[in-house]
Amino acid sequence: MRSRASRLRPVVGALLTTAVLVTGAVTAGSSVAAAAPRPDGTRLSFAFDTGPALRHGDEVRGDPRRSSGTVRTDGPALKRAKGVSGRALRFPCLSCGRAIIEVPDRSSLDPRLDAFSFGAAVRFSARQAAGSMNVVQKGWHDEPGGQYKLQVDAGVPGCVVHGSAARVVVLGPASVADGAWHTLACRRVGAEVSLLVDGAVVATTPAESGHLANAAPVWVGGKEIGTGDPDQFRGRMDDVFVRILR
Ligand SMILES: [Ca+2]
């Protein structure tokens, strides 16, 4: 069964307990070889700076190229707009349907036991952020092998890193739905997951998350099209990235 992942706040304390109980099961810092990582660990990045509006089936050119994705939409296009650097993508309005980017699963997008970070720059209003929105995720809530996810529910950013040891959640202290650009990043280093807003750590959960590798694609801007619980992103997005450090 596939289920939503947005109801996280009540269980943060329980997650910490779970993490403590299973800390001995894994050791951070070891790694499994992946295909030719770039020196800075970038495995996926989208700058969105060039090209026309993107429609269903269009390629979204990634850097490195092998991390390119495909637009999935039930109607609306992903339009270009001024970004935090160059141009950005404007996701569909509240009543305009759904559109996401799907990057096929690659083993190089799974952190396994390694330190990693992922995130994006986002800009949206309080009205756009009234519901739950996912920014970047690899896997469903109950994905075999685990999940990583950056979300903004009711405008409040949050991270999920769900590995073999525990589902570790980090929630930000405040909404970022103010119509200005904000860079959001989730970072796991050792037995700690942190949320960074505009380059500063704003929340950390000290818990071992463990081994994380799944067969799911990376979705940018929401869940798979056609599902009833989309967590569709609204607003603008720029500079999406996944970096894995070995
Ligand atoms: Ca850009």
Side-chain angles (χ1 to χ4, degrees):
M1 183 180 70
R2 290 175 165 184
S3 60
R4 66 179 298 137
S6 59
R7 300 290 180 254
L8 299 170
R9 288 175 182 78
V11 298
V12 172
L15 294 167
L16 286 170
T17 302
T18 302
V20 170
L21 289 173
V22 297
T23 293
V26 294
T27 302
S30 62
S31 65
V32 176
R38 290 183 2 181
D40 68 353
T42 297
R43 305 297 179 88
L44 176 157
S45 67
F46 292 124
F48 304 132
D49 288 339
T50 59
L54 296 165
R55 303 184 185 281
H56 186 74
D58 285 350
E59 181 190 48
V60 185
R61 180 72 69 89
D63 180 18
R65 181 70 188 272
R66 64 179 178 274
S67 71
S68 295
T70 303
V71 174
R72 308 291 186 200
T73 170
D74 60 9
L78 291 168
K79 298 179 179 176
R80 309 278 178 171
K82 183 173 171 37
V84 70
S85 60
R87 291 198 289 173
L89 286 187
R90 177 186 288 131
F91 281 73
C93 80
L94 287 166
S95 60
C96 297
R98 300 204 49 213
I100 65 169
I101 300 166
E102 180 175 282
V103 180
D105 173 49
R106 298 181 60 89
S107 61
S108 62
L109 297 172
D110 291 319
R112 297 175 175 79
L113 290 170
D114 295 330
F116 75 114
S117 64
F118 56 99
V122 296
R123 194 187 94 154
F124 48 80
S125 66
R127 180 172 173 272
Q128 289 172 311
S132 56
M133 308 194 296
N134 290 358
V135 181
V136 179
Q137 70 187 96
K138 190 172 193 292
W140 295 85
H141 179 91
D142 50 1
E143 189 74 40
Q147 178 198 41
Y148 60 82
K149 179 176 68 163
L150 167 63
Q151 65 185 23
V152 278
D153 287 2
V156 178
C159 304
V160 175
V161 177
H162 185 187
S164 58
R167 181 177 186 82
V168 180
V169 179
V170 187
L171 293 177
S175 171
V176 295
D178 58 3
W181 281 104
H182 296 283
T183 61
L184 307 179
C186 302
R187 184 175 71 194
R188 175 179 77 175
V189 178
E192 196 171 271
V193 178
S194 297
L195 167 67
L196 293 84
V197 176
D198 298 325
V201 174
V202 297
T204 296
T205 299
E208 186 73 68
S209 44
H211 190 275
L212 199 175
N214 63 34
V218 171
W219 288 318
V220 175
K223 296 175 183 171
E224 183 177 32
I225 300 296
T227 56
D229 188 13
D231 290 340
Q232 174 67 47
F233 181 82
R234 314 288 179 183
R236 298 187 195 183
M237 191 185 302
D238 202 353
D239 293 340
V240 177
F241 73 92
V242 175
R243 287 194 281 271
I244 298 178
L245 305 173
R246 299 174 56 209

